[in-house]
């Protein structure tokens, strides 16, 4: 008698626990791929906005003109633009207040920009922890399903006088599918997490460098007559 060892048949005949593990891993994989595509689009957008803004910022245009452009009614600032707007708005407010030391004006603007920078990084970092968790735990969840399936296969042989490979193979095969699905969920999550973390670190460096450069410009304005 031939034993059906096709993937779908093995999954169908697997024990409830192994099937549950497979379903959990497949659901996790779908969720992680959703986050991967979403995060990739989000980071690409943030980098694109940063490139465009820095080109405008260093083009020689007046800071006041750039501020007015970014605060028009139909414009929605994002990323580094929000950092600039927060800093320039605070700097202008402190200057208009009068009797405020130039150093205090700049420090206040820098503090506000740091707060906005932290908010932006927190937004970009969203879901990365999920990818890290999927990447680190999925293989072990799959391994649990494999161990459970193999254990059941050997238990079922307890009442058999003579065990053959044909009797053991289906149970072991269906159990190993759980490990395969666990790796399928983990590998893309790990690769994407590492890639996104690297890109986010680079973007963070650009944000921090911009804040420092902008502070230098504000110091010049604060001490100018």
């Amino acid at each position: 008698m031939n034993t059906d060892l096709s993937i779908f048949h093995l999954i169908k005949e697997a024990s409830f626990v192994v099937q549950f593990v497979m379903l959990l891993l497949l659901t996790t994989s779908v969720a992680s791929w959703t986050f991967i595509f979403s995060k990739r689009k989000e980071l690409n957008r943030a980098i694109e906005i940063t490139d465009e803004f820095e080109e405008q910022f260093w083009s020689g245009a007046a800071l006041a003109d750039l501020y007015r452009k970014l605060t028009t009614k139909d414009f929605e600032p994002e990323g580094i633009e929000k950092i600039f707007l927060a800093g320039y708005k605070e700097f202008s407010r402190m200057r208009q207040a009068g009797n405020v030391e130039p150093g205090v004006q700049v420090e206040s603007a820098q503090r506000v920009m740091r707060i906005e920078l932290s908010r932006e990084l927190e937004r970009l970092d969203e879901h990365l922890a999920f990818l890290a968790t999927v990447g680190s735990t999925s293989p072990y969840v799959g391994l649990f399903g494999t161990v459970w399936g193999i254990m059941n296969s050997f238990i079922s042989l307890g009442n058999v006088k003579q065990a053959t490979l044909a009797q053991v193979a289906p149970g072991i095969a269906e159990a190993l599918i759980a490990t395969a699905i666990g790796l399928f969920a983990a590998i893309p999550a790990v690769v994407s997490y590492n890639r996104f973390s690297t890109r986010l670190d680079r973007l963070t460096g650009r944000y921090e460098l911009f804040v420092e450069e902008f502070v230098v410009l504000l110091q010049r304005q604060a001490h100018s007559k």
Side-chain angles (χ1 to χ4, degrees), residues 57-58 62-64 66-67 83-95 100-114 209-225:
F57 185 80
W58 296 112
L63 296 180
L66 182 57
Y67 178 83
I83 298 174
F84 166 78
L85 291 176
Y88 191 81
K89 181 179 180 180
E90 179 65 14
F91 178 74
S92 300
R93 186 184 70 82
M94 296 295 289
R95 292 202 76 178
V100 180
E101 294 292 330
V104 176
Q105 298 175 16
V106 175
E107 288 176 4
S108 180
Q110 184 178 25
R111 184 165 52 252
V112 170
M113 284 191 289
R114 286 290 178 184
L209 180 61
F210 167 74
V211 170
E212 297 303 320
E213 292 172 335
F214 190 28
V215 165
V216 172
L217 294 180
L218 293 180
Q219 287 175 339
R220 294 174 183 173
Q221 283 201 9
H223 290 86
S224 63
K225 296 292 184 178

Side-chain angles (χ1 to χ4, degrees), residues 24-37:
L24 176 63
L25 290 172
L26 286 173
T27 303
T28 302
S29 180
V30 171
S32 65
W33 275 108
T34 301
F35 292 146
I36 287 170
F37 287 120

Side-chain angles (χ1 to χ4, degrees), residues 33-51:
W33 275 108
T34 301
F35 292 146
I36 287 170
F37 287 120
S38 175
K39 185 58 63 178
R40 180 176 180 273
K41 180 180 179 181
E42 188 177 27
L43 286 174
N44 285 343
R45 176 62 178 166
I47 293 172
E48 179 184 355
I49 290 174
T50 301
D51 291 338

Side-chain angles (χ1 to χ4, degrees), residues 109-199:
Q110 184 178 25
R111 184 165 52 252
V112 170
M113 284 191 289
R114 286 290 178 184
I115 294 173
E116 190 62 43
L117 187 150
S118 297
R119 290 174 179 169
E120 179 64 15
L121 294 182
E122 183 178 353
R123 182 183 68 83
L124 292 175
D125 190 60
E126 190 177 10
H127 299 321
L128 286 185
F130 174 79
L131 293 178
T133 301
V134 171
S136 61
T137 61
S138 292
Y140 296 104
V141 175
L143 182 60
F144 167 76
T146 298
V147 171
W148 187 275
I150 292 176
M151 181 183 67
N152 284 339
S153 295
F154 283 106
I155 290 176
S156 65
L157 296 177
N159 297 324
V160 178
K161 294 181 180 180
Q162 185 177 2
T164 63
L165 183 60
Q167 292 173 312
V168 180
I172 294 178
E174 70 187 31
L176 289 174
I177 293 176
T179 296
I181 296 176
L183 293 175
F184 177 78
I187 293 174
V190 171
V191 172
S192 298
Y193 173 79
N194 290 335
R195 178 168 174 77
F196 291 154
S197 295
T198 300
R199 298 183 71 187

